Amino acid sequence: MFKAIVSADTLGAALDSVGVLVDECKIRLEEEGLTIRAVDPANVGMVDLELSANAFESYETDGGVIGVNLDRLEDIVAMADSGQLVHLELDEETRKLHISLDGLEYTLALIDPDSIRQEPDLPDLDLSSEVVIEGADINRSVTAADMVSDHIALGVDPDAEQFYVDAEGDTDDVHLELGREDLIDLTPGDARSLFSLDYLKDMNKAIPKDAEVTMELGEEFPIKMHFGFAEGDGHVTFMLAPRIQSD
Amino acid sequence: MFKAIVSADTLGAALDSVGVLVDECKIRLEEEGLTIRAVDPANVGMVDLELSANAFESYETDGGVIGVNLDRLEDIVAMADSGQLVHLELDEETRKLHISLDGLEYTLALIDPDSIRQEPDLPDLDLSSEVVIEGADINRSVTAADMVSDHIALGVDPDAEQFYVDAEGDTDDVHLELGREDLIDLTPGDARSLFSLDYLKDMNKAIPKDAEVTMELGEEFPIKMHFGFAEGDGHVTFMLAPRIQSD
Amino acid sequence: MFKAIVSADTLGAALDSVGVLVDECKIRLEEEGLTIRAVDPANVGMVDLELSANAFESYETDGGVIGVNLDRLEDIVAMADSGQLVHLELDEETRKLHISLDGLEYTLALIDPDSIRQEPDLPDLDLSSEVVIEGADINRSVTAADMVSDHIALGVDPDAEQFYVDAEGDTDDVHLELGREDLIDLTPGDARSLFSLDYLKDMNKAIPKDAEVTMELGEEFPIKMHFGFAEGDGHVTFMLAPRIQSD
């Protein structure tokens, strides 16, 4: 049993953060809320999403897992006006999800969860640095790096107490340094890793410009990025595996 | 003789409602105003447009028929700023239409009206149901149906006193029910017909979101949709033939 | 040595006016400011740009010439918010230009100036007519002419004291006449020349709609168009060679 009412904005933000990595996913229906965990086909980017029952106008379930076509579900929710409520109800017999918004009823065929790629375990990493940064600064870094390269290095210089971004192209380079005064918070430690810009661009699409994003970074280690939405009742963690530094 | 001045907004709205179905059309110049009647090449969708002389700043004609390239004429009118006046004057000798807006003069070669597809007769149908609905609700129905199917069923359930929309895809379905409280008016009768979504999408483009649209519906019959513009001095009727129900 | 600070708006406007004609250019660094002169590969359109040291927040140089990839430089400057300052500094040793905006540092590899097409001499023509016109009227003329033809004739009728625009298509024509009251200023003389619309469209992109543009025109002669920007501290001259009239 699953029956819930939620604002289109909240549901849209939740789905979009997963949709930048995968087209289909399993949604775990739990008493405390929804969770989605997914990894892209190349095993490079992962997402862990939690949307607490508090983020919903109403939320009832006795548990279960459903498989959805994310593209389709995002399109439906995108039809709603901002602030409009979306009603969700699972039909156990037909295995269809009834979605209604302002009188319009959409019947979405679910996907067999067993046919969907297995959910990843998000490894518990001991990362040396933590940077709390505005979403707008991630956007700026990714946009600039994209002009010169397919890769981007993110790092922390503990002596200078700076977070930095490096992108090296064939002829041109991009560099950004943000000190304590430019960041929301910084727990410095030696850290530098190289990432595929394509993945970071996709993740960036789902990060609100005004979000406070907590980055955990290490030395040639994956990066974790966390941010909240829906007034703190929603939470996204992205994890991105590093590329091997070629120099 | 034809000489008229009209706001670019009014002329643009009139032309766009015909332009969604055909590229060329005949414009009938009558004492009381302009009329255009056209049918698409497949004989599925028809439009009947009336733009009363009252919709013009000034309007003089002694009658006649001109053939125009609608795409071209729409492009010219679209160059005007909102609220700007468009001057139209027919040169009988050269068979050209002089269009001037803010000092810019455009000479549009007319098309021989005999070379344009004959104007259709709009059949006088006795349709059982009448629904008065907001343009925005038509837009919503068409957008949602388009996610799942190429066809859309429109109908009235006289017992439930509801207008409804159905679209059935291979896996997903869309359904909308609007009762008396959601509609501007309803004269119920048994009605249900299936339509090609492509045509309805084109017609929808010409329907203002805030228009009151009167739909006349029957059982496996064409649909008629009427709406006014230019403060009631313009009037559009669309008619769309049904598809044969395959089930 | 070259070190300067300038608003992104001013630098962007300067670069865009050259970028509509060429992809690479030489920038001459002079005590009084920057100058760029370029001609398109077909030798049809030329641009002469001056950006006075007064247009900068700060400006220091001991002279020199640098070669730049304009597309790249325009993209970097476009990343800045309106009103943001751009810092430029030349590294003489590496021949790279350091560009920083709001903490983001971009290192742009320069191009060997000798590998860039030679700067043209802008001929000193004795043109019979001078028309001072709003940028918006040039935009209107070019947009309308583009509907009917690949060419546009610009001329002055000294008897009628009018500047005029003519475009003749296979079936349709466009004509615009602007008298003394529609122009900012007019010094009439016999003038009419035919131009390629593609070039004029490109130049039009760089002309602000609210600019006062001084056109100098002759009889089958090139046209010169001048306009200022950055509150008069920047100045652009476009010159366009005429097409031979085929009639």
Side-chain angles (χ1 to χ4, degrees), chain B residues 173-193:
Chain B
D173 303 328
V174 161
H175 189 67
L176 176 70
E177 281 170 7
L178 297 175
R180 280 200 181 279
E181 68 286 2
D182 307 311
L183 297 167
I184 299 161
D185 201 6
L186 174 68
T187 311
D190 279 312
R192 179 188 173 91
S193 307

Side-chain angles (χ1 to χ4, degrees), chain C residues 4 7 25 28 43 45 52 66 72 108 125 128 136 143 145 154 162 186 191 194 208 215 226 229-230 238 242:
Chain C
S7 85
C25 70
R28 295 202 170 265
N43 274 316
S52 151
I66 57 175
R72 187 53 70 89
L108 179 74
L125 303 168
S128 57
T143 307
L154 303 177
Q162 282 178 333
L186 175 69
L194 191 70
M215 287 180 167
H226 316 266
F229 65 99
F238 283 126

Side-chain angles (χ1 to χ4, degrees), chain C residues 27-121:
Chain C
I27 302 182
R28 295 202 170 265
L29 308 167
E30 288 159 16
E31 235 176 84
E32 310 80 45
L34 300 182
T35 63
I36 304 178
R37 207 175 265 195
V39 58
D40 87 287
N43 274 316
V44 173
M46 295 182 196
V47 60
D48 183 27
L49 167 92
E50 290 170 22
L51 188 61
S52 151
N54 295 330
F56 292 75
E57 298 294 308
S58 84
Y59 182 91
E60 289 173 77
T61 186
D62 53 7
V65 177
I66 57 175
V68 300
N69 178 329
L70 262 177
D71 286 348
R72 187 53 70 89
L73 192 50
E74 287 180 85
D75 283 349
I76 300 164
V77 174
M79 276 191 54
D81 292 329
S82 170
Q84 224 171 35
L85 292 178
V86 180
H87 293 243
L88 303 167
E89 184 166 3
L90 177 63
D91 183 329
E92 304 267 10
E93 269 178 53
T94 59
R95 295 305 292 170
K96 301 212 172 187
L97 186 66
H98 293 280
I99 305 155
S100 66
L101 25 106
D102 200 17
L104 184 83
E105 195 149 324
Y106 193 106
T107 308
L108 179 74
L110 296 175
I111 301 172
D112 178 358
D114 292 341
S115 74
I116 297 177
R117 209 176 150 74
Q118 217 186 316
E119 290 152 293
D121 288 322

Side-chain angles (χ1 to χ4, degrees), chain A residues 15-161:
Chain A
L15 298 174
D16 289 350
S17 67
V18 182
V20 295
L21 284 182
V22 293
D23 297 331
E24 304 180 341
C25 70
K26 296 182 208 181
I27 302 181
R28 295 202 170 264
L29 308 166
E30 289 160 14
E31 235 176 84
E32 310 81 45
L34 300 180
T35 62
I36 304 177
R37 207 175 264 194
V39 59
D40 86 286
N43 274 317
V44 173
M46 295 183 195
V47 58
D48 182 27
L49 168 92
E50 291 169 21
L51 189 60
S52 152
N54 295 330
F56 292 76
E57 298 294 307
S58 83
Y59 181 91
E60 288 173 77
T61 186
D62 53 5
V65 178
I66 57 176
V68 300
N69 178 328
L70 261 177
D71 285 348
R72 187 53 70 88
L73 191 51
E74 287 181 85
D75 283 349
I76 301 164
V77 174
M79 277 190 53
D81 292 329
S82 170
Q84 225 172 33
L85 292 178
V86 180
H87 294 243
L88 303 167
E89 185 166 2
L90 177 63
D91 183 330
E92 304 266 11
E93 270 177 52
T94 60
R95 295 304 294 169
K96 301 213 171 187
L97 185 66
H98 293 281
I99 304 155
S100 65
L101 25 106
D102 200 16
L104 186 82
E105 194 150 323
Y106 194 106
T107 309
L108 179 74
L110 295 175
I111 301 171
D112 178 359
D114 292 341
S115 75
I116 297 176
R117 209 177 150 73
Q118 216 187 318
E119 292 151 292
D121 289 321
L122 259 75
D124 197 15
L125 303 169
D126 190 18
L127 295 163
S128 58
S129 282
E130 192 178 283
V131 175
V132 186
I133 187 173
E134 271 186 60
D137 281 326
I138 297 178
N139 185 50
R140 227 154 48 95
S141 304
V142 165
T143 307
D146 194 32
M147 289 188 194
V148 301
S149 181
D150 298 331
H151 297 93
I152 186 170
L154 303 176
V156 172
D157 178 339
D159 299 329
E161 301 214 321

Side-chain angles (χ1 to χ4, degrees), chain A residues 140-191:
Chain A
R140 227 154 48 95
S141 304
V142 165
T143 307
D146 194 32
M147 289 188 194
V148 301
S149 181
D150 298 331
H151 297 93
I152 186 170
L154 303 176
V156 172
D157 178 339
D159 299 329
E161 301 214 321
Q162 281 178 334
F163 165 71
Y164 66 83
V165 175
D166 264 333
E168 293 182 20
D170 289 338
T171 59
D172 298 355
D173 302 329
V174 161
H175 188 67
L176 176 71
E177 281 170 7
L178 298 174
R180 281 201 180 278
E181 67 286 2
D182 307 310
L183 297 167
I184 300 162
D185 201 5
L186 174 69
T187 311
D190 279 311

